């Protein structure tokens, strides 16, 4: 975990104009930090969980920490966050046989869950993406073999489309950059740990905010003036990303 994260979150959480503060985590430290995150003002958690089988979880994540993650999820539930959502990337032949198990786990524990189509970002040697790709429609068909899904108006401000599991509070979301491309309506802006502003994870372009802020320390007017002229044009050059590579941050 990045040093000073809870302090940063507390500063953000104290801002009256901020309606929602959420983080995405692998869950490995939640059993230790859930209470601190809640106290800092975090309202929602997104926890990555691609498998409920220990051996498979270790293979997919390269960390044998399933029990630790599940303990963290339970600790977070007790801490009283507004919503907790699981994020699962489903791949044929790797974990697609767990779709119903993951939904069942979410329903039983009062959680939401989003299924995400795998993104072609970076090089992988563990599998061939064109073979393991599993579309949102295929995942939904598997879920509907065991549950009734009702179209929902629920939204988290991102590209996920939601259905509610009938008879429960669980919302099931689908993030479908391949089968239902959302680049035209994407509203994501990201600031990396290195202080760079990134509009699209599928594009190499970024704006170095940290260097600009250090060039104009404590001078908001000068910073905005600089931002509105040369920086804005350079930022525009980073937004022409190939639509096939765009993705969401799974909120």
């Amino acid at each position: 975990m990045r040093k000073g994260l809870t302090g940063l979150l507390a500063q953000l959480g104290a801002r009256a104009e901020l309606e929602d503060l959420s983080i995405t985590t692998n869950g490995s430290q939640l059993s230790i930090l859930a209470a601190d995150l809640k106290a800092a003002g975090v309202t929602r958690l997104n926890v990555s969980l691609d498998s409920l089988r220990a051996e498979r979880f270790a293979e997919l994540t390269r960390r044998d920490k399933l029990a630790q993650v599940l303990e963290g999820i339970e600790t977070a539930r007790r801490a009283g966050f507004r919503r907790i959502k699981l994020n699962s990337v489903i791949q044929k032949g790797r974990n697609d046989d767990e779709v119903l198990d993951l939904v069942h786990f979410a329903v039983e524990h009062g959680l939401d869950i989003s299924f995400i189509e795998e993104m072609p970002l970076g090089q992988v040697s563990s599998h061939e993406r064109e073979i393991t790709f599993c579309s949102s429609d295929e995942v939904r068909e598997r879920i509907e073999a065991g549950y009734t899904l009702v179209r929902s108006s629920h939204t988290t401000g991102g590209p996920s489309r939601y259905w509610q599991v009938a008879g429960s509070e669980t919302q099931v979301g689908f993030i479908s950059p391949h089968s239902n491309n959302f680049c035209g309506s994407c509203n994501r802006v990201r600031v990396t740990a290195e202080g760079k502003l990134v509009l699209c994870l599928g594009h190499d372009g970024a704006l170095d905010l940290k260097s600009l802020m250090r060039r104009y320390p404590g001078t908001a007017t000068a910073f905005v003036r600089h931002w509105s002229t040369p920086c804005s044009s350079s930022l525009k050059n980073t937004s022409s990303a190939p639509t096939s590579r765009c993705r969401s941050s799974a909120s």
Side-chain angles (χ1 to χ4, degrees), residues 12 33 42 54 69 79 91 99 106 115 118-119 135 148 155 157 161 167 176 188 204 215-216 220 228:
L12 292 171
L33 295 171
V42 174
V69 171
Q91 301 171 356
V99 168
F115 292 101
E118 185 186 13
M119 299 297 94
S135 72
T148 299
T155 179
R161 297 166 296 142
S176 320
R188 297 291 158 177
D204 294 332
R215 190 184 309 170
Y216 303 102
S228 63

Side-chain angles (χ1 to χ4, degrees), residues 184-198:
S185 60
C186 180
N187 61 357
R188 297 291 158 177
V189 176
R190 305 165 182 86
V191 179
T192 70
E194 293 80 22
K196 294 183 179 180
L197 180 68
V198 179

Side-chain angles (χ1 to χ4, degrees), residues 173-187:
F174 298 94
I175 298 178
S176 320
H178 280 290
S179 61
N180 186 37
N181 187 274
F182 50 76
C183 289
S185 60
C186 180
N187 61 357

Side-chain angles (χ1 to χ4, degrees), residues 83 85 112 151-156 160-162 171:
R83 307 287 292 204
K85 180 168 68 68
D112 297 328
R151 192 70 169 93
S152 171
S153 60
H154 177 71
T155 179
T156 53
S160 189
R161 297 166 296 142
Y162 285 96
Q171 300 280 345

Side-chain angles (χ1 to χ4, degrees), residues 87-134:
N87 286 335
S88 301
V89 178
I90 300 301
Q91 301 171 356
K92 287 182 179 176
R94 305 195 80 200
N95 67 341
D96 58 322
D97 56 338
E98 289 192 70
V99 168
L100 282 175
D101 291 341
L102 287 163
V103 173
H104 180 72
F105 179 84
V107 171
E108 287 294 300
H109 292 83
L111 310 172
D112 297 328
I113 184 168
S114 280
F115 292 101
I116 308 167
E117 293 177 350
E118 185 186 13
M119 299 297 94
L121 298 174
Q123 299 296 319
V124 296
S125 58
S126 59
H127 61 282
E128 297 182 45
R129 286 175 170 142
E130 62 273 18
I131 295 176
T132 61
F133 173 72
C134 191

